[in-house]
């Protein structure tokens, strides 16, 4: 380990910055956020520093560096484009046992500035020990994307309860258990939704009764299949789940992104082969949440687009279980993009309609005449079994039998397959493809030849 990670309290402490350019500006802005008392030595100031100086955010003490300026300072930063001067500052500061940072010159540093993720009071620092600062910044971006914006606010509220928790629980293990439950449960989700009064009440209830059940159901859209299309929020809640109830359409790659020790229960449903009834799923969700667990209900696509998400939340509401929804990229949008088929286009389609080919037993499609407009795109979910019937009904009601169609299997995944044909051959095309399948009917389907970009196997009749 080349450097020992430390966090320094710079509030009202004198820091000397030598340099007046854009690099010095970045350091000054960071030091101001830390509350440092900044002194600058520079021949001239760039426009950004002039603006900061006009706000009395630092003291411009001299235009020329002198070693005596190092007296009574806590930290020294050399940010000039003069290597000899930077080396001199480093030697002067080191001889006085002062920490010194020389920008972009690690050999002249006794301390370095890491890449920072600021969720104050939570601070995360990442460093490559000066060897690869660009890599450190890239790592910061990746980690920052995983951390919810409410993390700092949650820490501040937790700080208000710290002494109460210490007084309530004698052992360290009991305190850890309390906070683990709070940070991974309803309290965290309430803070994320800025329900701060409710969040404080939740902590109070848990403090008075550690055994209180405060489970929650989180309905999550897993997107069309490719794990790259999972939303950031979906990934965050998957990381805190106690248990995941997932559909068959959710890929292994996506499941592997969830919390490692979370229980995983497949409740997948396929046409004519339901492994779990909807009533059983509803009952399971409620039972697990009442045990105080964070239950993530993971569905392919978006849970509110032919995903029965509304039915499951109605059951949660009736049972008095708190819930939230994380939308996903619905299959129609994701698959259309990955097959190069724009669902609307000024020359071909002025509207798009999503319909399901698998409907409730007491419902049926009764609006066929409204689906036959040549300038309208139809996207049909779960249409593999009823494709022949759908094509016949559309043609009988006036849709041109030569209307272009696309049959897409495993859309957005590496084994995506696309068949392009015409409406009168829809059933034949569908039978050639493994499920799950999405059907796109309309003039835009022929644009696949021109706009296809994602690797796929394409066959034509």
């Amino acid at each position: 380990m080349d450097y020992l990670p430390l966090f320094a309290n710079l509030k009202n402490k004198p820091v000397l910055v030598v340099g007046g350019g854009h690099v010095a500006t970045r350091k000054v802005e960071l030091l101001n956020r830390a509350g440092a008392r900044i002194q600058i030595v520079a021949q001239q100031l760039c426009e950004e520093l002039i603006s900061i100086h006009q706000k009395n955010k630092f003291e411009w003490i001299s235009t020329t560096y002198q070693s005596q300026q190092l007296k009574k300072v806590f930290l020294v930063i050399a940010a000039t484009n003069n290597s000899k001067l930077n080396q001199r500052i480093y030697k002067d500061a080191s001889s006085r046992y002062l920490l010194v940072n020389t920008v972009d010159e690690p050999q002249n540093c006794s301390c370095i500035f890491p890449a920072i993720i600021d969720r104050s009071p939570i601070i995360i620092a990442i460093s490559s020990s000066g060897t690869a600062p660009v890599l450190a910044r890239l790592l910061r971006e990746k980690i920052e994307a995983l951390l919810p914006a409410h993390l700092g606010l949650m820490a501040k509220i937790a700080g208000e309860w710290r002494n109460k928790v210490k007084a309530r629980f004698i052992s360290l293990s009991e305190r850890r258990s309390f906070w683990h439950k709070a940070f991974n449960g309803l309290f965290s989700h309430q803070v994320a939704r800025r329900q701060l009064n409710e969040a404080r009440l939740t902590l109070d209830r848990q403090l008075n009764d550690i055994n209180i059940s405060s489970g929650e159901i989180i309905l999550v859209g897993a997107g069309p299949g490719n794990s790259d299309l999972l939303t950031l929020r979906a990934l965050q809640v998957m990381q805190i789940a106690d248990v995941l109830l997932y559909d068959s359409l959710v890929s292994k790659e996506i499941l592997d992104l969830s919390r490692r020790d979370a229980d995983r229960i497949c409740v997948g449903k396929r046409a004519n082969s339901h492994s779990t009834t909807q009533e059983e799923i509803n009952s399971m969700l409620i039972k697990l949440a009442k045990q105080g667990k964070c239950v993530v209900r993971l569905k392919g696509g978006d849970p509110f687009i032919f995903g029965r998400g509304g039915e499951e939340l109605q059951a949660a509401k009736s049972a008095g279980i708190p819930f939230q929804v994380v939308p996903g990229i619905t299959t129609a949008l994701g698959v259309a993009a990955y097959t190069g088929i724009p669902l609307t286009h000024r020359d071909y389609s002025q509207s798009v309609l999503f319909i399901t080919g698998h409907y409730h037993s007491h419902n049926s499609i009764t609006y066929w005449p409204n689906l036959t407009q040549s300038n309208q795109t139809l996207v049909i979910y779960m249409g593999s079994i009823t494709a022949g019937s759908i094509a016949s009904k559309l043609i009988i009601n006036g849709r041109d039998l030569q209307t272009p169609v696309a049959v897409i299997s495993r859309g957005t995944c590496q084994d995506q397959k696309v068949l392009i044909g015409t409406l009168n051959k829809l059933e034949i095309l569908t039978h050639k493809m493994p499920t799950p399948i999405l059907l796109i009917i309309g003039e835009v389907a022929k644009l696949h030849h021109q706009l296809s970009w994602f690797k796929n196997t394409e066959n034509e009749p």
Side-chain angles (χ1 to χ4, degrees), residues 23-63:
V23 174
T25 301
R26 293 200 304 270
K27 301 299 184 185
V28 167
E29 289 173 339
L30 191 59
L31 292 167
N32 268 322
R33 285 165 56 187
R37 183 157 49 87
I38 305 168
Q39 301 170 351
I40 284 189
V41 174
Q43 290 184 346
Q44 58 185 14
L45 303 179
C46 66
E47 291 184 4
E48 295 166 294
L49 278 181
I50 290 174
S51 177
I52 296 172
H53 187 234
Q54 289 172 345
K55 298 175 184 177
N56 297 318
K57 295 292 185 179
F58 64 81
E59 182 183 2
W60 189 5
I61 62 172
S62 178
T63 58

Side-chain angles (χ1 to χ4, degrees), residues 148-188:
H150 71 279
L151 202 60
L153 181 56
M154 186 165 63
K156 289 178 181 177
I157 296 174
E160 300 170 8
W161 260 261
R162 188 175 181 187
N163 289 334
K164 294 181 183 179
V165 173
K166 288 178 69 175
R168 172 68 172 82
F169 302 111
I170 303 300
S171 72
L172 184 60
S173 61
E174 286 180 320
R175 296 174 199 163
R176 285 177 177 170
S177 177
F178 174 87
W179 287 120
H180 184 272
K181 184 175 182 179
F183 293 147
N184 288 287
L186 183 59
F187 164 70
S188 173

Side-chain angles (χ1 to χ4, degrees), residues 276-296:
T276 312
T277 67
Q278 189 60 57
E279 289 72 20
E280 289 171 335
I281 294 172
N282 294 350
S283 177
M284 199 179 305
L285 286 167
I286 293 168
K287 180 181 178 181
L288 290 167
K290 283 186 174 180
Q291 294 172 2
K293 295 180 178 181
C294 175
V295 185
V296 168

Side-chain angles (χ1 to χ4, degrees), residues 103-118:
V103 180
D104 291 334
E105 294 182 20
Q107 72 277 12
N108 291 324
C109 290
S110 58
C111 68
I112 55 178
F113 278 71
I116 295 172
I117 300 172
D118 187 358

Side-chain angles (χ1 to χ4, degrees), residues 336-393:
Y338 270 60
T339 54
I341 302 175
L343 297 180
T344 62
H345 189 290
R346 287 194 300 172
D347 295 334
Y348 303 109
S349 175
Q350 282 70 57
S351 64
V352 59
L353 185 64
F354 298 168
I355 61 176
T356 174
H358 179 70
Y359 35 82
H360 201 284
S361 58
H362 62 257
N363 289 329
S364 62
I365 298 176
T366 58
Y367 45 84
W368 291 106
N370 297 329
L371 307 181
T372 59
Q373 302 173 45
S374 61
N375 63 348
Q376 181 183 65
T377 302
L378 303 181
V379 182
I380 302 174
Y381 292 67
M382 298 172 284
S384 58
I385 295 176
T386 56
S389 172
I390 290 170
S392 296
K393 293 284 181 60

Side-chain angles (χ1 to χ4, degrees), residues 301-313:
D302 181 90
F304 278 6
I305 303 292
F306 305 126
R308 301 191 184 181
E311 297 175 40
E312 294 175 4
L313 292 190

Side-chain angles (χ1 to χ4, degrees), residues 248-282:
S248 299
L249 295 180
V250 178
S251 68
K252 181 180 182 300
E253 291 77 16
I254 289 176
L255 286 175
D256 286 344
L257 296 173
S258 63
R259 179 177 162 186
R260 295 297 180 193
D261 56 348
D263 294 328
R264 300 178 185 179
I265 304 173
C266 180
V267 291
K269 300 187 293 293
R270 291 290 181 89
N272 295 332
S273 60
H274 287 194
S275 60
T276 312
T277 67
Q278 189 60 57
E279 289 72 20
E280 289 171 335
I281 294 172
N282 294 350

Side-chain angles (χ1 to χ4, degrees), residues 73 93 126 313 348 404 455:
V73 298
I126 303 166
L313 292 190
Y348 303 109
K455 177 183 177 182

